[in-house]
Amino acid sequence: MSQSVSEFYRSMADRIGADLAGRDLGSKVIIQVGSATCEHAAGSQAVAEEFTRHIRASGRKDIVIHRTGCTGRCSREPIVGIQLPGLLPVKYERVNRDLVHRIFTEHIQSASPVLKHILDHNGEPLADREFLFCEGGRCHQSNPSLKERFRTMLQERDIDSGKVHVAAASCFGACGISGCSPANFVLARPEKVLYSVNSDEDLAELIEGHILAGRVVERLKAKEEPIALEFLERYGDVSFFNRQNRIALRNAGVVDPESLEEYVGFGGFKALADVLQRQDPDWVISELTKARLRGRGGGGFATGVKWGLARQQADTTRFIICNGDEGDPGAFMDRSMLESDPFNIVEGMIIGGHSIGAQKGFFYIRAEYPLAIKRIQNAIDICRTQGLLGQDIMGSGFHFDLEIRLGAGAFVCGEETALIRSIEGERGQPKVRPPYPTDRGLWGHPTCINNVETFANIPAILRFSGDWYARIGTEKSGGTKVFALAGKVKHTGLVEVPLGTTLSRVVNDIGGGVSGGRQLKAIQTGGPAGGFIPASMQDMEVDFEPLQKAGSIMGSGGMIVLSEDDCMVDIAKFYMTFSQEESCGKCTPCREGTTRILEILERITQGKGELSDMDKLHRLSRLCQRTSLCGLGRAAPNPVLSSIKHFREEYLVHIQDKHCPAKKCVALIRYEINPDKCIGCTICFRNCPVECISGTRKEAHLIDQAACIKCGNCFDVCKFAAIDRV
């Protein structure tokens, strides 16, 4: 279109580039502190305040505190990064006020890292340099032995492995940028130089030039710049991060969520400028179709097709909605993206609005996410003042604005027609489809609804091309998927991996395996509407179709790891309790079906089940699946059906033997005191809430089974293993 769009973007980028260069951060000590709901809950605000006091007391002017969003490493927060000029960045875990003092005095003041508290570190001295070898499918297949040959060549030249660290990382996503020719990428840290190497001669030149001579080897320097280069530079030494492929989460833990300058500094709004300059919505839709981007909210409908359907409507009043109503228990992907990279979501929505011909867009965010709401509103306000929202965006003649609407927390409002009714001010209940929202949605006009993660991918796809994005995923689904990894796993947090990655890689390689040395029993995906996948199927690829075939769904991305200590019947009851409580009650199959299913599960877990209940559960679940009005009701029985399919014996033990093998069903267990181990310390007596334990000091105690409420307090507090749970 007109030259004004490119001029607008170039002027803005140049102005911001000059401002960022003027900060001269390369010569300063940077203290990076996470600023998101999870980090705040762990104490990051107090940590930042303590660092501020230390900086003031030291009188130094070359130290900067940089706030970023959530890195996704939940179980180790607060995470603090320290970047000294010319050295590898160091991340500390579970930082508190006392540790702040040590980090400041030892690391910042004396350049001596506190090794014991470094994130996922083995306590050994840190290397001066690190080389990360890309082990994505194309790089690794091209020349899988390069990394090991590089290590051998370092040894042959007597280069201390403690000074130069060599590691592997997941796909950098750089191959698709340069086309189809094979490449082997290596990231040199801390210089942040990406090399392309293909032979022993290239490796030798890398050693001689980069390591020994201390200069960039221009001949081997890659022309490509991976989308997550900055993230890898900061976190590439941590296996939890370098085994991921960050696209939607590329800026999480990198940029200040409230800074437009930092977002633009990493290529923000470049995709929007290209779209507005082209003035060709069909090109955008074509790129999304090539990318094979499917909705990340659970349904997996092709985004390009959905946008195309909305654009084809005769009604020119159209709307676009970002579904941020994240209601799954244990899911926090959308919240993290809204809090950590709000400008990225805003850019994706503006592009979507232009592509379907919408004049207005809405963020629908649950009110329980106050920080996400604050940062999205801040991003909207800044974009308006900078000409990125409102009238004549970037001088293109395109008029579009955004508004936030709050959800009250109803799970059913994650369903698109219920969400629309909620925005309209009506009770959040689903409607019969068709007509679909792309035909007649908000206030009767064509409407596109996508979830937060879908919009987070839009700018990346249009910057690097749909073909690039499609290469990262599977034949049917392009790109990556973000999962909230939780449950009985060592490393909980947000994980972004290419679609087609196995469950085993997510749980064992990235998540570190089952915590407490227990055996993996099952993996539950898709939230309360998902199913259980047994450990025997952990090598299954994560994609929409394989999960559905296994009796589960992708959902929005919840992934719960279950160990041998978990009872499948009890967990199925937990999810059914949630679905039954959250049912809107509009349709009988869901309202009554979930209630009856829950009643049967409660009977089984109370030791009152009968063999006929198995058939009743199966028939009721199938009926609910086939006749419920909306997708939530149709998916609610998934946990029950999948647990019966894969763990039928566990149900039978509960019904026939009145026994819970995992000792989780309260009605099927009892607590007894072993007189041979009890020393009469009275700690169980003092902690019993119903005073059902009797006995005198220094003599074995006794539990009154009739009065015991089976709370387990005695079992938890006994220091001599004298309480048996049987």
Side-chain angles (χ1 to χ4, degrees):
M1 151 104 188
S2 66
Q3 191 70 15
S4 60
V5 174
S6 59
E7 289 175 351
F8 181 100
Y9 179 77
R10 191 181 305 114
S11 173
M12 178 179 70
D14 289 345
R15 183 180 70 253
I16 288 174
D19 176 64
L20 294 175
R23 299 179 188 180
D24 192 25
L25 295 179
S27 64
K28 296 179 179 178
V29 175
I30 300 174
I31 303 173
Q32 181 172 299
V33 182
S35 177
T37 296
C38 49
E39 291 272 8
H40 291 174
S44 68
Q45 291 170 305
V47 166
E49 291 171 1
E50 191 68 20
F51 271 117
T52 300
R53 280 193 284 269
H54 277 70
I55 294 170
R56 288 173 182 167
S58 70
R60 293 182 60 173
K61 305 298 183 184
D62 63 335
I63 304 176
V64 176
I65 293 182
H66 181 234
R67 287 180 171 83
T68 68
C70 172
T71 63
R73 190 69 166 83
C74 303
S75 57
R76 293 292 186 269
E77 293 170 345
I79 294 174
V80 170
I82 303 295
Q83 175 73 71
L84 300 183
L87 299 180
L88 285 169
V90 178
K91 281 74 58 186
Y92 290 99
E93 62 183 25
R94 294 174 177 168
V95 179
N96 54 29
R97 289 180 181 271
D98 293 335
L99 185 53
V100 167
H101 179 71
R102 290 195 62 189
I103 293 171
F104 195 88
T105 55
E106 296 178 29
H107 190 166
I108 296 176
Q109 297 284 55
S110 305
S112 178
V114 188
L115 300 176
K116 181 181 177 181
H117 297 281
I118 293 176
L119 177 64
D120 291 349
H121 189 63
N122 57 14
E124 296 180 358
L126 298 175
D128 296 330
R129 283 196 176 94
E130 182 174 58
F131 289 87
L132 278 179
F133 280 73
C134 176
E135 287 198 349
R138 301 175 75 207
C139 296
H140 200 53
Q141 290 172 13
S142 172
N143 204 334
S145 61
L146 274 177
K147 176 167 63 73
E148 294 307 319
R149 295 217 302 275
F150 188 65
R151 282 192 174 127
T152 301
M153 294 169 74
L154 290 174
Q155 294 174 355
E156 290 173 350
R157 287 166 171 75
D158 293 326
I159 296 175
D160 187 357
S161 60
K163 296 294 184 181
V164 178
H165 183 241
V166 180
S170 189
C171 180
F172 290 173
C175 290
I177 304 172
S178 61
C180 297
S181 58
N184 300 280
F185 291 102
V186 183
L187 176 63
R189 305 172 64 239
E191 296 84 2
K192 199 167 66 175
V193 179
L194 186 69
Y195 290 112
S196 177
V197 295
N198 293 288
S199 65
D200 286 358
E201 291 73 19
D202 291 343
L203 294 177
E205 189 174 353
L206 191 61
I207 293 173
E208 296 296 334
H210 192 101
I211 298 177
L212 299 179
R215 58 178 173 80
V216 175
V217 183
E218 294 293 340
R219 185 184 73 83
L220 300 177
K221 189 175 179 181
K223 298 177 182 178
E224 300 79 6
E225 184 171 314
I227 191 167
L229 181 63
E230 187 65 29
F231 184 88
L232 286 169
E233 167 60 21
R234 299 191 192 190
Y235 302 98
D237 57 323
V238 180
S239 61
F240 179 83
F241 295 123
N242 66 35
R243 291 173 179 171
Q244 300 184 37
N245 293 69
R246 293 257 173 152
I247 297 178
L249 297 176
R250 61 191 178 277
N251 292 327
V254 174
V255 302
D256 180 344
E258 299 184 8
S259 171
L260 173 67
E261 291 77 14
E262 290 193 20
Y263 179 67
V264 173
F266 289 111
F269 289 104
K270 187 177 187 303
L272 175 62
D274 291 342
V275 168
L276 295 180
Q277 181 158 341
R278 285 175 180 267
Q279 287 295 318
D280 185 2
D282 291 335
W283 172 80
V284 175
I285 293 171
S286 173
E287 286 299 308
L288 297 184
T289 303
K290 289 180 185 176
R292 298 197 292 274
L293 175 66
R294 300 170 68 174
R296 297 300 194 248
F301 192 77
T303 304
V305 173
K306 180 184 283 190
W307 288 18
L309 290 171
R311 181 163 184 78
Q312 293 169 6
Q313 300 302 312
D315 187 348
T316 57
T317 300
R318 302 164 189 159
F319 298 100
I320 192 163
I321 299 173
C322 176
N323 183 355
D325 189 65
E326 189 174 45
D328 293 3
F332 46 94
M333 303 77 60
D334 292 351
R335 188 201 72 204
S336 177
M337 284 179 264
L338 291 169
E339 292 179 354
S340 302
D341 201 9
F343 289 101
N344 183 43
I345 315 300
V346 168
E347 182 180 6
M349 284 203 70
I350 300 171
I351 292 171
H354 181 268
S355 300
I356 71 168
Q359 301 80 36
K360 188 71 177 285
F362 292 91
F363 278 96
Y364 187 83
I365 307 174
R366 54 178 43 222
E368 292 96 328
Y369 286 176
L371 186 59
I373 294 165
K374 174 188 172 185
R375 287 184 173 165
I376 287 293
Q377 188 61 59
N378 174 71
I380 290 173
D381 293 341
I382 291 175
C383 286
R384 283 181 184 144
T385 62
Q386 297 297 319
L388 300 170
L389 262 181
Q391 299 295 306
D392 192 24
I393 295 175
M394 287 187 168
S396 65
F398 173 54
H399 312 309
F400 180 80
D401 209 350
L402 289 169
E403 181 180 329
I404 297 176
R405 292 294 176 94
L406 304 184
F411 181 66
V412 73
C413 285
E415 197 275 339
E416 58 182 9
T417 60
L419 184 154
I420 287 173
R421 286 175 62 86
S422 178
I423 292 179
E424 292 173 338
E426 303 291 335
R427 183 177 180 181
Q429 288 186 325
K431 289 183 178 180
V432 176
R433 298 180 301 175
Y436 293 95
T438 50
D439 301 321
R440 191 161 70 245
L442 187 61
W443 294 302
H445 300 290
T447 305
C448 257
I449 303 178
N450 292 104
N451 93 319
V452 174
E453 186 181 346
T454 306
F455 283 115
N457 282 290
I458 301 298
I461 291 171
L462 298 179
R463 276 185 62 194
F464 293 90
S465 84
D467 290 333
W468 163 81
Y469 190 79
R471 289 190 185 100
I472 297 172
T474 66
E475 184 178 346
K476 293 184 178 180
S477 309
T480 60
K481 179 73 187 79
V482 179
F483 293 97
L485 187 62
K488 306 292 179 60
V489 63
K490 292 179 182 177
H491 307 318
T492 59
L494 293 179
V495 176
E496 184 174 4
V497 293
L499 285 163
T501 302
T502 64
L503 287 167
S504 176
R505 178 165 175 80
V506 176
V507 173
N508 297 317
D509 295 347
I510 299 177
V514 181
S515 58
R518 302 296 186 182
Q519 292 296 313
L520 175 67
K521 186 172 188 177
I523 301 167
Q524 200 272 348
T525 67
F532 302 106
I533 300 168
S536 60
M537 297 175 64
Q538 62 181 295
D539 290 329
M540 182 183 70
E541 292 186 348
V542 178
D543 200 358
F544 294 92
E545 287 76 21
L547 287 174
Q548 188 175 23
K549 186 177 180 181
S552 188
I553 59 173
M554 181 81 73
S556 60
M559 186 177 288
I560 311 295
V561 178
L562 306 174
S563 76
E564 57 189 340
D565 291 338
D566 290 305
C567 172
M568 306 311 297
V569 185
D570 185 61
I571 294 176
K573 184 185 76 170
F574 166 79
Y575 282 119
M576 186 52 64
T577 301
F578 180 88
S579 296
Q580 190 270 335
E581 290 177 350
E582 292 294 336
S583 172
C584 72
K586 183 174 182 177
C587 73
T588 303
C590 178
R591 182 185 67 245
E592 299 300 324
T594 56
T595 302
R596 301 287 87 80
I597 293 171
L598 179 59
E599 288 174 353
I600 295 172
L601 290 173
E602 287 176 339
R603 287 205 305 268
I604 293 174
T605 57
Q606 290 170 4
K608 302 175 183 178
E610 302 174 355
L611 281 176
S612 60
D613 287 334
M614 296 293 286
D615 181 59
K616 291 176 183 177
L617 277 177
H618 190 271
R619 288 191 295 110
L620 274 171
S621 296
R622 287 299 185 194
L623 180 68
C624 196
Q625 278 187 331
R626 293 170 182 171
T627 59
S628 292
L629 175 62
C630 76
L632 300 183
R634 290 192 291 270
N638 281 341
V640 177
L641 288 173
S642 62
S643 59
I644 291 175
K645 178 181 178 181
H646 299 300
F647 301 95
R648 186 178 184 86
E649 289 300 320
E650 200 159 327
Y651 276 85
L652 294 177
V653 170
H654 279 71
I655 294 171
Q656 295 176 318
D657 301 338
K658 312 301 180 186
H659 170 61
C660 177
K663 301 177 182 178
K664 292 292 184 181
C665 297
V666 174
L668 301 182
I669 61 174
R670 68 179 185 273
Y671 293 93
E672 296 178 350
I673 296 178
N674 187 333
D676 295 330
K677 294 182 179 180
C678 180
I679 65 168
C681 68
T682 74
I683 191 171
C684 59
F685 169 80
R686 287 180 278 121
N687 283 274
C688 179
V690 293
E691 300 181 353
C692 70
I693 300 177
S694 60
T696 58
R697 184 177 292 277
K698 297 185 179 181
E699 292 184 5
H701 285 42
L702 183 68
I703 298 176
D704 182 353
Q705 296 296 332
C708 178
I709 61 172
K710 303 173 183 179
C711 65
N713 277 5
C714 56
F715 182 84
D716 294 333
V717 300
C718 182
K719 300 177 181 179
F720 302 97
I723 309 290
D724 294 329
R725 185 167 56 186
V726 297

